[in-house]
Amino acid sequence: MQEFIDTKELGTNYVFFADDLGIASIFPSLKHRLAELKHQHTSLFYCSLNHQHAFERELEILQKYFPARFFLSYHSRTNSGCCNIEQEDVEAVLNANTMTIMKFIISGNETFVEEIKKILLFLGITHIQIHEQFFSE
């Protein structure tokens, strides 16, 4: 007897990238993904100037509520504006992924978005969603 597999049961890993400008825009989506189905993982790479991360308390609470489903990685921006998210950091999440689908969402200033897109494109990821910011610089 052949079994049919429902792709919803296989799951999705939503991988968010945000900077200071983008975090407020993606935070509601991130919370929604965590509260939704059980067969989802959510990862957040969050880059901020001088480690001043908005929503830090909220993110820590979410990480405690969903320890097996939420990966949180804080990064700092240099004075020149570059983010220190390294290709190796992203590769680790890719390599540890246990879901069948991965979706990549970037929200931030133009330089940040281009910087992250370069890393993802180098890793062979071409389906990238750019999340529009609710706020501007």
Side-chain angles (χ1 to χ4, degrees):
M1 182 159 106
Q2 183 179 3
E3 288 187 42
F4 292 98
I5 299 172
D6 183 1
T7 55
K8 287 183 182 178
E9 294 297 316
L10 297 176
T12 302
N13 186 354
Y14 293 90
V15 183
F16 290 91
F17 297 87
D19 67 0
D20 296 318
L21 182 61
I23 191 66
S25 300
I26 65 158
F27 186 72
S29 289
L30 187 140
K31 278 192 332 182
H32 176 74
R33 295 290 171 222
L34 286 168
E36 224 177 25
L37 300 171
K38 293 180 185 175
H39 300 290
Q40 291 183 6
H41 289 167
T42 304
S43 303
L44 172 62
F45 291 90
Y46 180 11
C47 189
S48 180
L49 184 61
N50 298 324
H51 293 285
Q52 296 176 348
H53 297 92
F55 297 99
E56 186 170 2
R57 284 185 173 164
E58 292 88 342
L59 291 168
E60 300 290 331
I61 290 168
L62 288 173
Q63 193 172 37
K64 287 179 182 170
Y65 281 160
F66 304 103
R69 294 184 41 228
F70 182 40
F71 171 75
L72 174 59
S73 182
Y74 290 114
H75 298 269
S76 182
R77 224 175 27 187
T78 64
N79 290 333
S80 65
C82 294
C83 188
N84 71 352
I85 297 175
E86 300 290 333
Q87 175 185 324
E88 294 82 16
D89 299 332
V90 179
E91 281 183 83
V93 168
L94 293 173
N95 293 336
N97 179 51
T98 59
M99 299 288 136
T100 56
I101 300 168
M102 293 187 82
K103 296 190 178 186
F104 299 87
I105 303 100
I106 307 171
S107 185
N109 71 45
E110 188 176 334
T111 303
F112 176 77
V113 169
E114 290 305 314
E115 191 177 330
I116 299 303
K117 276 176 55 177
K118 283 181 189 175
I119 292 171
L120 295 176
L121 291 171
F122 180 80
L123 294 171
I125 299 161
T126 56
H127 297 290
I128 304 166
Q129 178 185 345
I130 309 301
H131 194 286
E132 189 176 337
Q133 295 86 33
F134 299 140
F135 308 99
S136 61
E137 294 180 285

